[in-house]
Amino acid sequence: MGDSQLFADTFVISDIKPQKYDHVARVFANTENGEIYMHLDINNDIFSCAVLDSLHIVIASTLSLDGVKDDVKGGWRESQPGEGLNLADDYEYVCHGTIYKFDEEDQENIKVYASFGGLLLYLEGPFKKLTSLRSDKVYLLVNK
């Protein structure tokens, strides 16, 4: 992982359920080794997926390739021509959001809650793998 990447892992989708909002589905998945559980709301018009698909998930503090923090005031916007490459250029689905809650049930496991414009992310797994997510504003980057 680079300096800007707080978390990266590959998940296998076990279930997908439609939500009450149009174009939104909740994806349920586990890492390939089963250590981390996730559910993620996605816009399935923009990024469609199916049960048993593998998703490479990255959570980053910045999209800058050199790790310099973004000066984001009103949210993320796609880079314009001439602005140079960034981390988002390598991913199919990118969101900007906020990690808003941590639950530490015991010394070994942690639960992380994030919102990306109302699309929610929940991660549950080992403290040592998820503690780096103690950040406010983050980017979610996803590839199949």
Side-chain angles (χ1 to χ4, degrees), residues 63-67 70 79-90:
L63 293 177
S64 174
L65 293 176
D66 61 8
D70 297 329
S79 60
Q80 302 302 309
E83 288 185 335
L85 298 176
N86 65 41
L87 196 57
D89 295 331
D90 295 331

Side-chain angles (χ1 to χ4, degrees), residues 8-139:
D9 214 329
T10 301
F11 290 80
V12 177
I13 297 173
S14 58
D15 196 11
I16 300 174
K17 296 198 184 245
Q19 295 298 293
K20 68 179 186 176
Y21 302 106
D22 291 339
H23 316 295
V24 176
R26 180 161 287 169
V27 172
F28 298 87
N30 290 294
T31 53
E32 292 174 323
N33 64 9
E35 272 191 317
I36 300 173
Y37 169 76
M38 169 187 80
H39 67 246
L40 171 66
D41 295 343
I42 60 164
N43 181 325
N44 55 9
D45 275 353
I46 296 172
F47 187 77
S48 63
C49 47
V51 172
L52 298 181
D53 279 354
S54 290
L55 301 178
H56 181 67
I57 305 285
V58 172
I59 298 176
S61 59
T62 178
L63 293 177
S64 174
L65 293 176
D66 61 8
V68 174
K69 277 282 205 185
D70 297 329
D71 185 24
V72 177
K73 302 259 190 289
W76 176 76
R77 67 171 176 76
E78 191 169 359
S79 60
Q80 302 302 309
E83 288 185 335
L85 298 176
N86 65 41
L87 196 57
D89 295 331
D90 295 331
Y91 291 87
E92 298 173 61
Y93 188 74
V94 179
C95 300
H96 180 256
T98 303
I99 294 178
Y100 63 89
K101 184 178 176 183
F102 280 90
D103 276 345
E104 298 176 35
E105 292 185 344
D106 54 49
Q107 297 292 334
E108 295 180 20
N109 290 310
I110 189 169
K111 296 176 182 176
V112 180
Y113 301 83
S115 176
F116 300 93
L119 298 176
L120 303 178
L121 167 68
Y122 168 82
L123 292 167
E124 181 178 347
F127 182 85
K128 65 182 181 179
K129 292 214 174 195
L130 299 177
T131 194
S132 63
L133 294 174
R134 292 192 180 276
S135 185
D136 186 22
K137 301 293 183 187
V138 293
Y139 294 93

